[in-house]
Amino acid sequence: MDKFIIEGGVPLTGEVNISGSKNAALPILCSSILADNTCTYTNIPVLRDISTITEVLATLGMVIECPDNGCIVIDPRKLGSYEAPYDLVKSMRASILVLGPLLAKYKKAKVSLPGGCAIGVRPIDMHLKALTKMGADINLSHGYVMAFTEGLKGTRIVFDTPTVGGTENIMMAASLAEGTTVIEGAAKEPEVVDLAHALMAMGAQIDGAGQSTITIDGTTSLSGLEYSIIPDRIEVGTFLIACGITRGDLVLKGARADHVVAVIEKLLEMGIAITHRDDGSLQVNGKQEFRPIHVDTVPYPGFPTDMQAQIMALACVTPGTSSITENIFENRFMHVPELVRLGGRLEEKGHTVIVQGVDQFQGASVMATDLRASASLVLAALNARGMTEIRRIYHLDRGYENLDEKLVSLGARVQRVRGGL
Ligand code: EPZ
């Protein structure tokens, strides 16, 4: 398994291009199941989770070509299987997003239950309850979701708490259902909106995406499309913090500042200088004195849980006492003991971590445990005095495109060592 060796203490300077959003691309690639002909997607990030979802779609019989970097062309007309197998779904839970499209288009699906993951149990009860209400007959058997329907029917779906994947699965299912579906308590993330835009480009009738009530008028067929994915807002947030934690000076090209308002607000509060340039890029400077921060992760448009580990690393080298509360997932603090190994002073108190700022992290050997935790360790290593070794970097490769190469282009001293334990 690959590891990073990072020599910290170098201020990052220069320009970095933001890649396409993993969490927008995954549901949009699954929506190709609904199409009657070829779908062409661009600005798709080249990373492990994308490879996994294309493997799932190929397993269903879809013809997938990657004519060049960032472009995926899918011909859905050869689909002949309705089973997403355990071996693939266990490695990438977002594979559950084929369930709604398969039911809507082919009236059947056999999808492995995703199982838990490092950050929590992550059930799919809300997905299944909503599809059942739309007329699906769903049974759990031998670790699989066995789903059939005579035909999905539009109805009113109420989510007690917002679910990104649940909203996406139902929006896709409702696009080909008979009649109108109203989703109340819908997730408002930009990735949900991007999926709605892709579905609408295929001919779906969707109103209210990005708000808490989404209305979908089902149609009888959906065409192929050409579509470019939005930039990755979590990568934007990660580089904003990389600039702050190294006292650097960066320009983020291709960022959508309107997708990271809550993150920018918090970082401005901490003392990082962030300005919007006329060309839409973000200029960021981390040379000011930082101030401690209090963060609560909440559904969009609030501060995102996917940025919790990263801002915690910054808080560790910010004078004073900060607090970070995780309200979305029940086990998303596995980076805490690793940050302690790097010299951070952190104390877990239930869903909150209290951070006492120190001057600088100290290099050490640490272990990545999940995608955003590994980003947090990279950020800490970039700040640290001396060398840091981060093992199991495959977690990072799931969700960041060429992060090591991008950091090196900004002056960071990062070496990827391939193979080994
Ligand atoms: C999406 O996961 C993202 N993944 C996650 O990003 C992100 O952290 C999460 O939304 C929250 O923003 C993708 O988009 C591929 P949820 P998802 O359904 O859809 C509970 C990353 O790092 N819940 O909004 O799985 C659930 O356990 C990943 O890129 C149920 O109880 O998240 C969680 O506590 C990590 N029952 C909360 O709701 C359900 O049926 C929010 O989950 C569904 C969810």
Side-chain angles (χ1 to χ4, degrees):
M1 285 180 266
D2 291 6
K3 62 184 176 183
F4 279 172
I5 307 288
I6 298 177
E7 180 184 356
V10 179
L12 299 187
T13 56
E15 288 190 357
V16 62
N17 290 317
I18 297 300
S19 299
S21 163
K22 162 179 86 82
N23 289 350
L26 291 171
I28 287 173
L29 290 170
C30 292
S31 71
S32 61
I33 291 170
L34 300 165
D36 286 344
N37 40 53
T38 302
C39 302
T40 300
Y41 302 107
T42 53
N43 202 33
I44 299 275
V46 178
L47 33 87
R48 217 150 61 85
D49 275 7
I50 299 297
S51 308
T52 304
I53 203 68
T54 51
E55 217 177 315
V56 171
L57 297 176
T59 303
L60 299 176
M62 301 169 83
V63 176
I64 297 168
E65 292 170 357
C66 303
D68 52 33
N69 244 8
C71 175
I72 290 183
V73 180
I74 299 179
D75 181 346
R77 287 169 291 193
K78 300 275 191 314
L79 193 144
S81 163
Y82 312 99
E83 178 174 345
Y86 174 65
D87 283 349
L88 290 174
V89 176
K90 74 175 172 24
S91 62
M92 217 267 304
R93 20 175 327 94
S95 311
I96 196 64
L97 293 171
V98 302
L99 180 60
L102 282 174
L103 268 178
K105 180 82 172 173
Y106 299 102
K107 300 184 170 53
K108 57 187 172 187
K110 180 182 176 186
V111 181
S112 169
L113 279 166
C117 80
I119 64 177
V121 173
R122 300 186 71 186
I124 57 168
D125 56 309
M126 292 197 272
H127 300 232
L128 303 184
K129 187 177 161 196
L131 288 168
T132 302
K133 193 172 179 190
M134 294 179 73
D137 176 18
I138 290 180
N139 290 295
L140 304 186
S141 167
H142 301 291
Y144 278 81
V145 176
M146 312 293 285
F148 304 89
T149 180
E150 296 299 320
L152 294 179
K153 299 242 184 312
T155 185
R156 179 170 172 262
I157 301 293
V158 180
F159 287 132
D160 300 335
T161 57
T163 159
V164 172
T167 303
E168 291 167 343
N169 239 334
I170 298 312
M171 210 161 57
M172 290 189 280
S175 295
L176 279 184
E178 183 190 334
T180 298
T181 299
V182 177
I183 304 173
E184 293 182 17
K188 306 176 189 174
E189 273 71 0
E191 294 78 29
V192 171
V193 176
D194 209 27
L195 173 62
H197 288 165
L199 289 168
M200 291 156 75
M202 298 164 76
Q205 306 292 316
I206 300 174
D207 185 45
Q211 297 160 41
S212 54
T213 299
I214 303 176
T215 302
I216 305 106
D217 292 318
T219 54
T220 52
S221 71
L222 293 171
S223 70
L225 80 166
E226 292 188 4
Y227 195 78
S228 184
I229 304 292
I230 55 171
D232 192 314
R233 62 190 170 102
I234 305 303
E235 185 184 26
V236 170
T238 304
F239 272 105
L240 290 174
I241 292 179
C243 181
I245 211 167
T246 61
R247 304 295 185 180
D249 198 346
L250 291 182
V251 173
L252 277 53
K253 311 271 291 174
R256 279 282 304 267
D258 57 320
H259 290 170
V260 281
V261 170
V263 174
I264 290 176
E265 286 305 310
K266 280 295 174 189
L267 297 179
L268 289 171
E269 218 180 300
M270 291 184 83
I272 294 183
I274 302 170
T275 50
H276 302 212
R277 301 205 322 182
D278 293 345
D279 63 1
S281 56
L282 283 176
Q283 173 104 36
V284 51
N285 177 296
K287 301 191 187 311
Q288 299 71 319
E289 179 72 19
F290 292 159
R291 296 180 289 273
I293 196 76
H294 301 288
V295 173
D296 264 287
T297 66
V298 290
Y300 195 88
F303 191 92
T305 174
D306 291 351
M307 283 297 305
Q308 176 256 106
Q310 297 93 311
I311 201 165
M312 190 180 290
L314 182 62
C316 285
V317 289
T318 297
T321 302
S322 297
S323 72
I324 292 154
T325 300
E326 171 59 51
N327 298 300
I328 306 294
F329 291 109
E330 66 269 27
N331 188 36
R332 205 169 196 177
F333 285 152
M334 283 173 300
H335 41 286
V336 170
E338 302 304 311
L339 291 172
V340 169
R341 282 186 52 73
L342 291 164
R345 290 177 56 201
L346 306 99
E347 186 185 356
E348 272 188 57
K349 290 186 171 175
H351 287 277
T352 297
V353 172
I354 307 297
V355 184
Q356 301 296 341
V358 297
D359 290 340
Q360 189 178 12
F361 282 109
Q362 309 301 320
S365 287
V366 289
M367 182 90 72
T369 51
D370 61 85
L371 169 55
R372 305 304 174 182
S374 42
S376 163
L377 298 181
V378 169
L379 294 169
L382 292 171
N383 168 278
R385 181 177 299 123
M387 306 299 277
T388 297
E389 175 192 74
I390 305 176
R391 298 179 183 175
R392 299 189 180 174
I393 215 66
Y394 62 85
H395 289 291
L396 196 79
D397 293 336
R398 291 191 53 174
Y400 285 92
E401 184 180 51
N402 302 327
L403 184 63
D404 43 341
E405 291 165 24
K406 290 186 179 184
L407 290 171
V408 167
S409 74
L410 299 172
R413 294 180 190 138
V414 181
Q415 182 198 358
R416 178 186 286 261
V417 177
R418 296 197 183 278
L421 291 177

